[in-house]
Amino acid sequence: MTHFPKYLKNYPNMHTAFPLHLSLNRLVNGYPAHRHDYLEFSYVVEGCGEEKINGVTHPMIPGTFTFILPYQVHEIFTEPGSVLKLYNCAFSLDLLMDTGNSSSLGGLVNDLDQMPSFAQFRDDDMNLVHNLVREMYQEYEQEKRWRATMLKAKLWEILIRFDRYRQDRDAPTPLPAASAGTKSSVWPIIHFIHNHYQEELQLSDLAQMFSMSLSRISEVIKQATGQTFVHFLHDLRIRHASGLLVSTDLSVMEIAHEVGYGSYKTFYRMFREKKGIIPTEYRKMKKRQ
C-alpha cells in the first residue's frame, strides 16, 4: 500500500477574502514530512538544518528561501544543538493571479519544472530579502489601511526577487533527474485543474490534453494529491465555496454555480459530506466566530 505523508488542508485566514498567513517560527526538532494544497514560502533567519523536497535535500541556513508548490512532499531537519528560526508564509494560488492583467505571476509556479525550488541569498541580496520579509511580517501583524494591497505587493516583490536570483545564480545547475521528472509530469496537470475546476472538467478531457491514458492520468493525480480525480475536484470546489460563504453575501445557489456545480443538490450533498454541516449553518458558524 502506498504511504501518503501528512496532508495539511488548512491554514489561518484560508477561507477569507485575503487567503494568506505569515508566521515566524522556531524549530528545535524540524518538521515531519507533509504536503498541502496551497503555496508556501519560507525564509531562514537563524540556525541551520536541511530540507527535503520530493526526495531532494538542500541546506537551510540564514538566507535560504524556499518556494513550495501544492502537493510537494517536504520535510525539515534541524541540526542537533541548533534552533531553526524562519518565516513561513502560506497563501492561495489566487494571490499570484491578476485577472485581465498580463503581469500575473501565475506562470512562476511552472518554472519549477526546470529551476530549483530554493535559493541561497548572500550578502546584499540576503539583507534586501531579509528586510522585505520582515517588513511584510510587520505589515501582517498590524491592521492598517490598505493592508491586503500592501501585503500582496510585498509578496509579489519577494517572489520576483527570488525568481530573478535563482535565474541568475542557479540556472546553470541542472535539477536532479528524479525531482525534475516528477514535477514536470505532475504539476502542469495539477495547475490546470486548479485553474479550471469551476468548469465542466472530465478526466477523459485531461487524458487527451496531456496525452495519457485514463488509467495513467488517474495514477498520476492520485500519487500527487493522495486523492482520486473526482475527490480532488470536489475538494477544490468545496474549499472555494467555504471561502465565498464567509467572505461574500452571495446566496448559496449563486455560490454553487460559481464553484462549478450545475446542480444545487449535488453541491449541498458534497458540502455536507466534506464539512459535516450544511452551507447555511457553516456560514452562520463562521460569522459567529
Side-chain angles (χ1 to χ4, degrees):
M1 177 180 291
T2 303
H3 171 68
F4 293 106
K6 186 177 181 181
Y7 184 15
L8 306 181
K9 291 190 174 185
N10 295 287
Y11 59 90
N13 304 325
M14 182 174 181
H15 299 311
T16 66
F18 191 72
L20 180 145
H21 175 64
L22 180 58
S23 58
L24 180 58
N25 303 294
R26 292 170 173 80
L27 302 181
V28 177
N29 299 311
Y31 199 89
H34 63 287
R35 57 196 170 88
H36 41 66
D37 57 7
Y38 46 86
L39 294 165
E40 179 185 18
F41 81 69
S42 66
Y43 180 77
V44 180
V45 292
E46 289 181 14
C48 57
E50 292 183 332
E51 183 174 30
K52 182 185 291 186
I53 304 174
N54 281 358
V56 179
T57 302
H58 67 85
M60 294 194 86
I61 59 175
T64 302
F65 185 97
T66 306
F67 184 41
I68 301 291
L69 293 180
Y71 313 107
Q72 286 187 315
V73 178
H74 51 294
E75 182 175 8
I76 296 176
F77 307 89
T78 304
E79 188 76 18
S82 181
V83 176
L84 264 178
K85 182 179 177 182
L86 70 167
Y87 291 96
N88 293 94
C89 182
F91 57 98
S92 167
L93 180 64
D94 294 341
L95 294 187
L96 298 190
M97 305 299 180
D98 197 354
T99 305
N101 192 328
S102 60
S103 64
S104 167
L105 286 187
L108 177 67
V109 297
N110 292 324
D111 291 342
L112 289 188
D113 287 350
Q114 292 82 32
M115 298 296 298
S117 56
F118 78 98
Q120 183 58 55
F121 289 100
R122 294 182 173 86
D123 304 324
D124 291 342
D125 295 298
M126 183 172 75
N127 292 332
L128 175 62
V129 173
H130 189 170
N131 287 335
L132 283 171
V133 177
R134 184 180 60 198
E135 289 170 5
M136 184 178 178
Y137 182 70
Q138 291 171 345
E139 184 71 34
Y140 180 82
E141 289 289 285
Q142 303 176 58
E143 289 292 341
K144 292 186 176 180
R145 192 181 185 195
W146 309 112
R147 174 177 177 268
T149 303
M150 182 68 81
L151 286 172
K152 184 174 180 179
K154 289 186 179 296
L155 173 67
W156 276 43
E157 181 175 359
I158 289 167
L159 292 177
I160 288 171
R161 291 191 178 277
F162 157 70
D163 188 50
R164 287 178 176 177
Y165 191 86
R166 65 176 180 168
Q167 291 280 349
D168 294 340
R169 301 297 181 93
D170 298 320
T173 305
L175 284 174
S179 175
T182 299
K183 284 185 282 192
S184 62
S185 62
V186 174
W187 177 246
I189 300 171
I190 299 301
H191 192 188
F192 185 87
I193 297 172
H194 268 270
N195 286 339
H196 297 276
Y197 67 83
Q198 294 162 271
E199 305 168 10
E200 285 289 334
L201 201 56
Q202 302 293 327
L203 189 61
S204 56
D205 298 330
L206 290 175
Q208 183 176 6
M209 182 177 302
F210 292 97
S211 302
M212 293 184 181
S213 66
L214 281 174
S215 59
R216 176 55 184 158
I217 199 165
S218 295
E219 180 184 14
V220 165
I221 293 171
K222 182 68 178 289
Q223 287 176 343
T225 69
Q227 303 178 86
T228 65
F229 166 71
V230 172
H231 282 92
F232 178 47
L233 188 62
H234 284 309
D235 205 32
L236 291 175
R237 288 174 172 174
I238 297 304
R239 286 173 185 280
H240 188 187
S242 299
L244 292 175
L245 284 166
V246 175
S247 62
T248 75
D249 293 322
L250 292 172
S251 70
V252 176
M253 180 73 77
E254 289 172 325
I255 289 173
H257 287 293
E258 173 65 23
V259 302
Y261 287 102
S263 165
Y264 174 77
K265 289 183 178 179
T266 302
F267 168 69
Y268 187 93
R269 175 173 55 82
M270 292 308 306
F271 193 96
R272 188 168 189 173
E273 181 179 312
K274 293 282 186 181
K275 295 294 185 180
I277 189 172
I278 62 175
T280 50
E281 289 301 318
Y282 180 87
R283 171 176 268 169
K284 291 177 182 177
M285 178 184 71
K286 288 297 182 179
K287 288 192 173 182
R288 285 196 301 267
Q289 292 175 353

